[in-house]
Amino acid sequence: MSANQQSYKKSSFGPAFFFLSKRRRAALANYYEFCRLMDDIADEPNIPAPQQALMFWEQEIHRIYAGTAETDLGCRLQEDIRSFSIPSDRFLLLIEGMRADLQGRFYLRQADLDWYIYRVAVVVGLATLDILGVKGQSAETLAQYEGSAVQLTNIIRDIASDAQMGRVYVPEDLLSQFGLTRRDILEKHNPSALAAALQVLAARAEKDYQAAFQQMKLFPRIKMLPCRVMGYVYLKNLAKIRKTGFIFTRPVKLTKTEKFNSLLYALFKTFF
């Protein structure tokens, strides 16, 4: 078992996967290990030649689907892809999103940001649903709502730390509504105006969470437990951010107790 899989099993989300089969849990662990690896390549400053690293993994994904994986993780994913019919875009689009981060891509409108959200969040939800055995248009809709809600929460939470890396995800047309530019975010100017812009994103995220919870009612309750836990944890995190008035200088995160309480609430909603 890899270190990433061990950390996955010890994480606050671990109990949400308890009711799944051992095979599904292993496949989810492998996919999330891949996601974490891609995220580290894009975000960690000590990764040498990150563009080349993404290129290697893009080529490895093609090898995986050809049955000729070269890495240990690739061999594990090869088995998972066969078992759960996971399409290649669940991997390749995520890599495309990571490239956008490395290139410092910026987003003029919400539709442009949605392009990014699909690649770094929605496809992750789709892969998760593939492994859970939930497919079809209703699954696509669920992944769209929850992926959007979670990624918007991440964007709000990480606004300051992303700016330190020269990244701004808030659409420029939204910033302009409050008299802001990307440079204002990078240089930490006018936090009250930024707070107003973040409230707009938060309102959209909250609407997407509620739509996702409604969509979950279409599927078997046990299979939705991981999705429900993820939704409640991130929604709780967004509520904690809201209490700051959207003015903060470091990411606002939940404590272990707060995450555990969200897990208990998800269990309650699942079984009662």
Side-chain angles (χ1 to χ4, degrees):
M1 182 187 299
S2 72
N4 278 336
Q5 284 183 303
Q6 289 176 340
S7 63
Y8 152 83
K9 289 181 179 295
K10 293 178 181 178
S11 75
S12 57
F13 296 108
F17 299 91
F18 177 78
F19 297 96
L20 302 178
S21 69
K22 182 178 180 181
R23 183 70 189 86
R24 293 188 196 277
R25 291 199 304 269
L28 286 167
N30 291 333
Y31 184 73
Y32 294 157
E33 181 178 346
F34 171 80
C35 293
R36 171 51 57 189
L37 178 57
M38 297 305 101
D39 195 52
D40 287 346
I41 290 171
D43 290 349
E44 293 299 322
N46 60 343
I47 299 292
Q51 290 284 11
Q52 287 87 333
L54 289 180
M55 177 63 74
F56 169 83
W57 277 101
E58 182 177 51
Q59 294 168 346
E60 178 71 343
I61 295 303
H62 290 299
R63 287 191 290 268
I64 288 170
Y65 280 86
T68 59
E70 294 182 356
T71 63
D72 173 67
L73 175 57
C75 291
R76 284 183 272 128
L77 289 172
Q78 207 165 263
E79 294 298 319
D80 298 335
I81 287 162
R82 282 198 289 261
S83 296
F84 301 106
S85 302
I86 306 172
S88 61
D89 66 356
R90 303 331 190 214
F91 302 91
L92 296 174
L93 288 180
L94 181 63
I95 292 173
E96 191 175 338
M98 296 302 102
R99 280 206 179 97
D101 281 341
L102 289 175
Q103 293 164 354
R105 182 167 178 151
F106 56 91
Y107 305 95
L108 296 175
R109 296 170 294 277
Q110 183 64 50
D112 301 315
L113 180 60
D114 288 341
W115 176 94
Y116 174 76
I117 288 174
Y118 190 89
R119 282 152 179 77
V120 301
V122 176
V123 295
V124 176
L126 288 170
T128 299
L129 293 172
D130 289 334
I131 295 168
L132 293 175
V134 178
K135 295 179 181 287
Q137 185 56 53
S138 294
E140 293 263 354
T141 301
L142 171 57
Q144 187 72 56
Y145 281 131
E146 186 157 34
S148 173
V150 167
Q151 192 59 32
L152 287 171
T153 301
N154 284 338
I155 288 169
I156 295 167
R157 182 196 66 196
D158 298 335
I159 188 76
S161 55
D162 284 335
Q164 290 177 348
M165 293 189 288
R167 298 174 184 173
V168 178
Y169 296 96
V170 182
E172 293 198 10
D173 64 349
L174 177 57
L175 291 176
S176 67
Q177 289 179 32
F178 297 94
L180 294 167
T181 66
R182 292 181 70 251
R183 182 166 295 279
D184 290 324
I185 309 306
L186 296 174
E187 297 180 358
K188 301 179 181 179
H189 295 161
N190 203 345
S192 60
L194 175 58
L198 294 181
Q199 286 186 53
V200 174
L201 289 185
R204 178 186 169 184
E206 288 161 350
K207 183 178 179 181
D208 285 342
Y209 281 120
Q210 296 310 317
F213 293 138
Q214 283 296 117
Q215 195 71 9
M216 289 176 200
K217 295 178 181 179
L218 301 176
F219 304 104
R221 291 185 176 188
I222 292 298
K223 288 187 176 183
M224 287 296 100
L225 181 56
C227 304
R228 190 170 281 113
V229 169
M230 181 74 71
Y232 284 131
V233 167
Y234 275 84
L235 180 57
K236 180 71 173 179
N237 199 169
L238 184 57
K240 189 171 184 177
I241 295 170
R242 184 175 282 283
K243 289 180 179 179
T244 71
F246 296 95
I247 296 178
F248 51 91
T249 57
R250 63 182 63 184
V252 177
K253 297 184 179 181
L254 298 182
T255 65
K256 289 183 179 180
T257 299
E258 289 169 330
K259 287 183 180 181
F260 183 69
N261 289 339
S262 295
L263 170 63
L264 291 180
Y265 185 69
L267 286 169
F268 175 82
K269 295 292 285 186
T270 297
F271 296 107
F272 301 101

